[in-house]
Amino acid sequence: MTRRTNTSCLGMAVKGYLLLNLWVAIGYALALPVTLPDLMASQDPPLHVQGPLQHAVLYGVPVVAALGVALFASRRASVARWVVLARAAAVLVLGQIAAHWAAARFDAPEWTARAMAQCAAAGLAAYLCLVIVRRWDNRGLAPGGRRPGPGEIWHAVVPFRDNEGSKERYCVVMRSLPHYAEVLKITSQNKDHRDDHIRMPNDGWDLTSGKAHWVEIGLHPLRVPYQDFTDGRPKGRCPRPVWRRLRAESVEAAPSRV
């Protein structure tokens, strides 16, 4: 037990050391427009950034670093490209602000000390951006840490269609929106006599119950908040023939249902 505990602690220490170095490297890349001119000015004689290539490196490296942080922060949720670009711009701007703040606050005589303070400040700003984005995106995730996708079958607390209340049941996800999914209910009660249900094969999602299933069709999807999905992963995908029919006869969700 002691040996296993020591190994676990060592692994955590190594992981923490690597993560610290990673964020220092990101901070260095973001602070480059501040640290590099400072280094060049401290030379004898002083140097200056010249030419399009040097300027491209000086300002291109922070842009690439900020975009990398934004992409990594946004990987748990499906977001639009402009959102990723906006997040990258926020990382870039906040990193520059942090680097300039550190340059003014930690005016050490040694360039190395000044540069380390600037890199640490920019890296901390980028890390805080990552944490904020992750927490924001996690509002739109099911308990297991992912967002239900269209065509997937999940287990969730689905509201009744004709009265108040809800019930845990299987459902087909029709659309994924920022804070909720639009779903159609699946039932094991025989609905062959109704036009608003069709038979759903168990292939690909229910391999154990042996029950027949029916799914709603041609009805307004019901809105289910992501916190009402009871499992962390889907049961499977809707059989393709059924999914094609559901999409062909889909209608927009009723605006009164939240």
Side-chain angles (χ1 to χ4, degrees):
M1 179 67 70
T2 303
R3 183 177 301 175
R4 184 177 301 175
T5 302
N6 292 338
T7 302
S8 177
C9 291
L10 179 61
M12 292 179 62
V14 171
K15 183 179 180 180
Y17 176 77
L18 294 176
L19 287 175
L20 178 62
N21 280 272
L22 172 64
W23 285 108
V24 169
I26 292 173
Y28 177 78
L30 291 173
L32 193 62
V34 181
T35 58
L36 185 58
D38 186 20
L39 174 62
M40 297 177 70
S42 65
Q43 304 301 308
D44 189 17
L47 302 176
H48 303 281
V49 179
Q50 297 178 349
L53 180 58
Q54 292 184 2
H55 281 87
V57 172
L58 184 65
Y59 296 106
V61 169
V63 171
V64 173
L67 185 58
V69 173
L71 288 171
F72 183 75
S74 306
R75 67 189 180 93
R76 291 185 179 179
S78 177
V79 296
R81 290 183 180 179
W82 71 267
V83 174
V84 176
L85 294 177
R87 291 174 175 178
V91 172
L92 183 63
V93 171
L94 292 176
Q96 294 293 304
I97 292 174
H100 282 286
W101 174 85
R105 183 61 61 90
F106 300 98
D107 191 16
E110 293 291 334
W111 175 85
T112 303
R114 296 196 305 270
M116 286 300 297
Q118 295 160 12
C119 295
L124 179 60
Y127 178 75
L128 292 177
C129 288
L130 172 70
V131 172
I132 292 172
V133 168
R134 285 286 176 84
R135 289 187 176 180
W136 178 269
D137 286 347
N138 282 346
R139 301 185 312 154
L141 299 178
R146 58 157 294 186
R147 177 175 292 183
E152 294 178 341
I153 297 176
W154 285 71
H155 194 262
V157 179
V158 183
F160 293 131
R161 186 171 292 278
D162 301 325
N163 51 40
E164 297 296 329
S166 58
K167 177 183 177 181
E168 290 189 12
R169 61 169 70 242
Y170 293 117
C171 59
V172 178
V173 177
M174 299 301 295
R175 284 207 307 165
S176 298
L177 296 166
H179 306 298
Y180 61 88
E182 294 180 351
V183 308
L184 292 174
K185 296 186 294 185
I186 298 174
T187 180
S188 58
Q189 298 180 4
N190 192 312
K191 301 291 183 179
D192 281 339
H193 60 287
R194 297 183 54 166
D195 295 333
D196 56 359
H197 285 73
I198 58 173
R199 284 288 298 266
M200 168 178 277
N202 295 351
D203 300 341
W205 69 278
D206 183 4
L207 306 179
T208 57
S209 73
K211 296 181 179 179
H213 291 91
W214 289 258
V215 63
E216 297 176 318
I217 189 170
L219 299 175
H220 294 292
L222 300 169
R223 298 180 180 181
V224 178
Y226 289 117
Q227 62 267 24
D228 288 347
F229 285 79
T230 59
D231 294 335
R233 58 183 181 178
K235 299 300 179 182
R237 295 201 63 85
C238 180
R240 289 185 179 181
V242 175
W243 178 239
R244 284 196 293 265
R245 286 197 60 185
L246 293 180
R247 292 186 63 186
E249 301 187 32
S250 64
V251 294
E252 294 183 0
S256 59
R257 179 74 69 174
V258 178

